[in-house]
Amino acid sequence: MDAPFILLGPLLSPSGMDAADWLPDGALVVDEAGRIVHVGHAASIATTMSPYPVIRTNDLILPGFIDTHVHAPQLDCRGRHGADLLQWLDSYIYPAEQRFSDEILAADVSRRFFASLVSAGTTTALVFATSHEHATHIAFAEAEKCGMRIIMGSMLMDRNAPAELCVDRCSAEAAMGRLIERWHLATPLLRFAVSPRFAPACTLEMLRMAADTARRHDLHIQTHCNEALSEISLMQQLFPHSGSYTQLYHSAGLLGTKTILGHNIHTDQAQLRLLTESGAAVAHCPDSNLFLGSGRFPLDEHLQAGLRIGLGSDVGAGTTVHMLSIMRSMAHAQGKSLHPLLPLYCATLGGATALGLEHETGSLTAGKSADIIIMHIDNLLCHGSGDVGVVDVASALVYTTPEERVRRVWVAGKELTIR
Ligand SMILES: [Zn+2]
């Protein structure tokens, strides 16, 4: 059912890294425009007085999940063993991305990719496409059909990758212009992100062109940084006078408040300070880091630096699109017990904040877009009794709920199809 409607049931909505609103008898009103206009206790609204249809549930009402780092063309590459990042890229990823020159394949994978995100309860994602302009148009068309909130860009590479995936700077700039015109400027839920893959696959001129394009059109920038030791050493060989990985991106003009860096594992205090000063955000991808053995994300150091942190599935180095699994991996990667509200925050409001969308999505708050999911949780314990606390509910959700429990999904008040 599309908006307008009133949703009645237990409701959990993160409000900070260690805080959430928990309403065992929640009520949420969504208007015709797909905006949340009221959140409160069921008793706070007179449903009999409202002309809106009422949806009642005993399952848990949540904000949709946010994936801040994921690769659409890598959906079918999950679980492919590689010795490390660079070898894995050469063996599996570049061949898979080359196949996106085939339009039928590009459409098929893109369709299944967005369908799987919706079924996992993800309502917003920051996505890498391939370097093909046409395949990126196809991916945007599939994103529009599925109804998600998507920020996506064609991959920029002009060296150290198969020739079929490298695009020269002028052609890449022109292609981005057409993608911005067709999607970023013309569709309400779709945005274009400037997406240099990582320093080893780009010349300095390409990185600078990327930064200029983003500045000119006020776009997001997404890339990878400090993921694997072999990658960092290759970066140092290619840019011997650039200092750290973060300094290289900074001097190329790539760091700003709309920049999201994937991984950032092998960093240090000077680089973290530079990120904080520039206002860039980090997409933490724990499942991917565990799978490729890239290293342990220095979570405490990032938190102390005051950086915005979102969670990313990083499919296909990540093995799943399910953000519930990624939340669990975040805790496992730290080797200690994490308070459940922290990973939940990073996968919702924290992700929205990392993307600069915290006024639009990420929590169930009046004034925001109705990006909502309903999940079934065993023994949701409460059944309206109000006996169960917010930490109990968050723990049950983050640490024990099977992935495939998403029952309904809305973006901007429009109900999406779960396949
Ligand atoms: Zn990635």
Side-chain angles (χ1 to χ4, degrees), residues 211 215 221 223 225 244-261 271 273-281:
R215 198 176 308 112
I221 295 173
T223 187
C225 186
S244 70
Y245 215 140
T246 310
Q247 280 174 313
L248 168 64
Y249 283 160
H250 178 62
S251 60
L254 285 166
L255 300 184
T257 55
K258 295 186 89 168
T259 304
I260 296 93
L261 299 177
Q271 294 189 69
R273 243 191 331 273
L274 189 50
L275 289 183
T276 307
E277 286 163 11
S278 67

Side-chain angles (χ1 to χ4, degrees), residues 69 71 128 224 263 314:
H69 185 110
H71 299 256
F128 287 92
H224 299 77
H263 304 289
D314 195 23

Side-chain angles (χ1 to χ4, degrees), residues 318-340:
T319 56
T320 174
V321 296
H322 287 267
M323 294 310 289
L324 263 190
S325 281
I326 305 303
M327 292 181 227
R328 258 165 238 160
S329 297
M330 180 179 175
H332 297 162
Q334 291 302 311
K336 64 180 181 183
S337 181
L338 274 195
H339 193 290

